[in-house]
Amino acid sequence: MNVNRELLAFLRKQYPVGTRIRLDSMQDPYAPVEAGTTGKLDYIDDAGQFHMKWDNGRTLALIPGVDSFTVLPPELSMTKLYMPLTAELYEPDVYGNMQDEPELLTGRDLTTYEQTPIAENRNFGKQCINCHTFNRNSPDTMMVHVRGKQGGTLISLNGEMEKVDPKPEEYRHGATYPAWHPSGRYIAFSANEIQQFFHSSGQKPIEVSDLAADLMIYDVQTHETFTDSLVYGEQYMETFPTWSPDGKQIYFCRAEGYRQGMSLDSIRYDLYRIHFDAEHSKLHTLECVYKASALRKTVSFPRISPDGRFLLFTQSDYGNFSIWHPESDLYLLNLATGNIRNIAEINSDNVDSFHTWSSTGRWLVFSSKRLDGLWARPFFAHFDPETGHFSKPFLLPQKEPDFYDTFTYTYNLPELIKAPVKTGKKLLETIEEPIHRAKVKN
């Protein structure tokens, strides 16, 4: 059977992998599959035949136009949608530029329209609060930075909260982008020197870039920090760490070190990983996972699904602050096969950037500027780990239909957690406390 490319593309779009099918009749004279058998579409070959995984174990293909079948509706599944959403909200100044400091860290119950501020910076001298993160989507293990005269890193663990500076005096740069080790004992940080640039013309008026970046690990129990020459030094910049679910590797982004006069659009990050020996608190064995720079692309925000099977990341043309890059898209890496694909079913023609998985790995929340190109809004998509595909994304619902027409805040770093954060009052009290500086781990 000869099938032209247009029809083949149509069939594959109309009948995606995983489509449930019930056979009505099969015109096979030798060993047809019995009518009424159901199964799942495995793939469509170049001849247009539907290769099936029938529920009775058979794999005989369907031939459209010859065999008769019915497409079944998707199987219903129960999903617990009580996933509070946390985000930092940024407001533009009188000139329309985004402020450096978020107005508040907020929590939103996704089963209602209720939104509860966790911390508003007007309550502590308009200091900046940013880069919050949770361990395995739990509100009981939380970290957030405060920057200003009372600055420090606030760590909430096992009902206790403290203010620390994870950067020892001997280290070059302060703790920036964090990631919790699954055990809750360690936090991996990138230590960045970040510079903001303003352009007088062009489609990207603002660019944010690293001038230096290293990786370091903070031990929450001993208040000590350590690193390794593999991920520390001026030759390379390492940023956006994330742990594998078993805690044995750190995935991160790596680029050539910045040099004076280097063009910002020449800075491109590859995806790397380094192994971690928790027993001896040692980093070892550096590996390149995806060399995006060879394709003249760059990666940021790697995030691994809770089952350890998939890694989601943002890809753009250069740099790593993708929220200012309209071309940025989300990509999915199958860690078992190494296959990487553009997630066309959820990407748009504008910014698609920061993202996190739900605790089940069945849901994704990500920031997108697809509505107007100006404000980042939180979008959600359901994920099927069997097919590796996402559902059509939808915007965070609001009570008023025209809410987003007049809401001039941008949502930054949206994260799904399993219960509300109840330590807001303690967080504000801890900001007032003295800071404890980390020491270098021997």
Side-chain angles (χ1 to χ4, degrees), residues 227-270:
T227 186
D228 190 276
S229 59
L230 290 171
V231 290
Y232 191 96
E234 297 182 357
Q235 185 176 359
Y236 297 100
M237 297 187 292
E238 295 89 2
T239 191
F240 296 136
T242 192
W243 294 91
S244 59
D246 61 8
K248 294 181 179 180
Q249 294 100 25
I250 302 175
Y251 287 75
F252 60 95
C253 305
R254 190 190 208 203
E256 294 286 336
Y258 177 81
R259 301 180 301 279
Q260 186 68 33
M262 177 184 284
S263 173
L264 297 180
D265 60 10
S266 70
I267 300 175
R268 293 185 172 91
Y269 290 78
D270 300 314

Side-chain angles (χ1 to χ4, degrees), residues 88-104 121 128 196-198 205-208 321 323-324 369 372-377 407-413:
E88 296 162 7
L89 299 182
Y90 286 74
E91 186 178 32
D93 59 22
V94 294
Y95 302 103
N97 297 318
M98 297 309 301
Q99 296 181 357
D100 292 335
E101 303 171 357
E103 290 291 313
L104 68 150
N121 65 8
C128 178
Q196 204 172 26
F197 299 87
F198 297 89
I206 299 175
E207 186 64 62
V208 180
F321 222 77
I323 198 67
W324 293 110
K369 293 185 177 180
D372 52 24
L374 297 173
W375 317 112
R377 312 297 195 195
F407 187 73
T408 56
Y409 283 76
T410 194
Y411 288 79
N412 192 32
L413 306 186

Side-chain angles (χ1 to χ4, degrees), residues 79-87 106-115 137 312 330 343 345-347 351-371 376-384 389-398 403-404 411-418:
T79 302
K80 187 178 181 182
L81 276 178
Y82 184 77
M83 297 182 294
L85 173 73
T86 60
T106 182
R108 160 72 186 271
D109 182 350
L110 298 185
T111 63
T112 69
Y113 298 110
E114 294 180 6
Q115 180 168 292
N137 306 88
L312 198 76
L330 299 177
I343 313 176
E345 65 267 31
I346 65 174
N347 285 321
V351 174
D352 297 299
S353 182
F354 185 87
H355 47 270
T356 55
W357 297 91
S358 69
S359 59
T360 64
R362 291 280 183 165
W363 287 92
L364 179 77
V365 61
F366 63 97
S367 295
S368 178
K369 293 185 177 180
R370 65 186 63 195
L371 295 186
R377 312 297 195 195
F379 282 78
F380 301 83
H382 184 264
F383 180 66
D384 184 349
H389 283 74
F390 291 86
S391 67
K392 181 179 180 179
F394 62 90
L395 178 63
L396 174 67
Q398 302 291 347
F403 174 86
Y404 291 107
Y411 288 79
N412 192 32
L413 306 186
E415 290 210 34
L416 294 168
I417 52 178
K418 294 182 284 190

Side-chain angles (χ1 to χ4, degrees), residues 172-189:
R172 299 192 303 162
H173 306 294
T176 309
Y177 303 120
W180 281 94
H181 187 271
S183 69
R185 176 169 177 176
Y186 304 100
I187 305 177
F189 288 100

Side-chain angles (χ1 to χ4, degrees), residues 93-314:
D93 59 22
V94 294
Y95 302 103
N97 297 318
M98 297 309 301
Q99 296 181 357
D100 292 335
E101 303 171 357
E103 290 291 313
L104 68 150
L105 176 64
T106 182
R108 160 72 186 271
D109 182 350
L110 298 185
T111 63
T112 69
Y113 298 110
E114 294 180 6
Q115 180 168 292
T116 305
I118 299 170
E120 297 183 79
N121 65 8
R122 66 183 178 183
N123 293 327
F124 49 98
K126 300 291 286 186
Q127 298 173 80
C128 178
I129 185 167
N130 61 14
C131 295
H132 65 281
T133 190
F134 302 88
N135 183 21
R136 297 186 295 180
N137 306 88
S138 172
D140 299 325
T141 311
M142 177 186 177
M143 190 234 80
V144 64
H145 291 312
V146 174
R147 304 191 188 279
K149 62 182 181 181
Q150 296 172 309
T153 297
L154 307 184
I155 296 176
S156 176
L157 180 64
N158 299 326
E160 300 294 329
M161 186 173 293
E162 61 179 349
K163 184 169 75 172
V164 303
D165 182 355
K167 173 191 174 297
E169 291 185 1
E170 297 90 333
Y171 281 28
R172 299 192 303 162
H173 306 294
T176 309
Y177 303 120
W180 281 94
H181 187 271
S183 69
R185 176 169 177 176
Y186 304 100
I187 305 177
F189 288 100
S190 59
N192 305 60
E193 180 185 348
I194 302 171
Q195 179 69 51
Q196 204 172 26
F197 299 87
F198 297 89
H199 304 295
S200 59
S201 62
Q203 294 184 335
K204 298 175 183 175
I206 299 175
E207 186 64 62
V208 180
S209 179
D210 287 333
L211 300 184
D214 304 301
L215 291 190
M216 63 185 191
I217 313 294
Y218 175 67
D219 188 327
V220 176
Q221 291 184 7
T222 66
H223 301 91
E224 296 175 313
T225 298
F226 59 95
T227 186
D228 190 276
S229 59
L230 290 171
V231 290
Y232 191 96
E234 297 182 357
Q235 185 176 359
Y236 297 100
M237 297 187 292
E238 295 89 2
T239 191
F240 296 136
T242 192
W243 294 91
S244 59
D246 61 8
K248 294 181 179 180
Q249 294 100 25
I250 302 175
Y251 287 75
F252 60 95
C253 305
R254 190 190 208 203
E256 294 286 336
Y258 177 81
R259 301 180 301 279
Q260 186 68 33
M262 177 184 284
S263 173
L264 297 180
D265 60 10
S266 70
I267 300 175
R268 293 185 172 91
Y269 290 78
D270 300 314
L271 179 63
Y272 271 77
R273 70 181 168 208
I274 191 168
H275 293 255
F276 177 63
D277 179 353
E279 182 179 353
H280 300 97
S281 300
K282 295 292 184 182
L283 295 166
H284 66 94
T285 314
L286 184 67
E287 301 171 290
C288 181
V289 178
Y290 170 49
K291 197 166 184 61
S293 60
L295 305 174
R296 298 185 63 79
K297 297 293 181 181
T298 189
V299 299
S300 56
F301 302 130
R303 293 289 185 273
I304 300 177
S305 60
D307 62 7
R309 296 170 57 190
F310 300 94
L311 185 148
L312 198 76
F313 63 89
T314 304

